[in-house]
Amino acid sequence: MNQTDLWTVATILGMTAITVLTRCFFFLSDKPWTLPAWAQRGLHYAPIAALAAVIVPEMVMTQGHLIATWKDARLFAVIAGTAWYYWRHGVLGTILAGMAVYLPLHILLGW
C-alpha cells in the first residue's frame, strides 16, 4: 500500500467513526431528549422544502439556464399537476396528471 491509499483508508475510517458517534450520540444519554417546539414545527416543513429545492429547478431550467421557449413539456406538466392539486388535493393524482401531460408532449412531439 502506498501513502495515498493509507490516507484514503484513514479518512474513510475517521469519517465512519464521526458518523457513528454523531448518530448514536442520542442513545448515550440517560435522560430523555426532546426538541424544542420551534424545531419540531420546523421539521414539519423540511420534507417539502427539500423536495422543492430539488424539483423546482428541474421544472424551470435546462443545463443551468431558465427555459427560453414555451415548447417545453415540463411547463405544461407543471400547469396540469398544479391544476389537479388545487382541484382534488391529492398528491398521487397530481403526479399522474403531470405525467399524463408530460409524456405525450415529450415523446410524441419531442418537446
Side-chain angles (χ1 to χ4, degrees), residues 64-107:
H65 300 286
L66 287 174
I67 297 171
T69 179
W70 63 271
K71 287 187 173 184
D72 195 311
R74 294 175 294 177
L75 297 175
F76 293 98
V78 168
I79 293 168
T82 303
W84 179 274
Y85 182 79
Y86 281 109
W87 179 47
R88 302 292 290 187
H89 295 287
V91 175
L92 180 60
T94 301
I95 295 169
L96 293 175
M99 290 306 290
V101 171
Y102 174 78
L103 288 175
L105 291 175
H106 185 69
I107 293 172

Side-chain angles (χ1 to χ4, degrees), residues 22-66:
T22 56
R23 290 182 182 234
C24 294
F25 181 73
F26 304 108
F27 296 122
L28 300 176
S29 177
D30 290 344
K31 59 183 180 177
W33 188 83
T34 59
L35 287 173
W38 61 267
Q40 287 180 352
R41 273 193 320 272
L43 285 175
H44 289 290
Y45 299 102
I48 193 68
L51 186 62
V54 172
I55 299 298
V56 170
E58 186 62 33
M59 291 186 306
V60 297
M61 297 179 83
T62 299
Q63 306 268 334
H65 300 286
L66 287 174

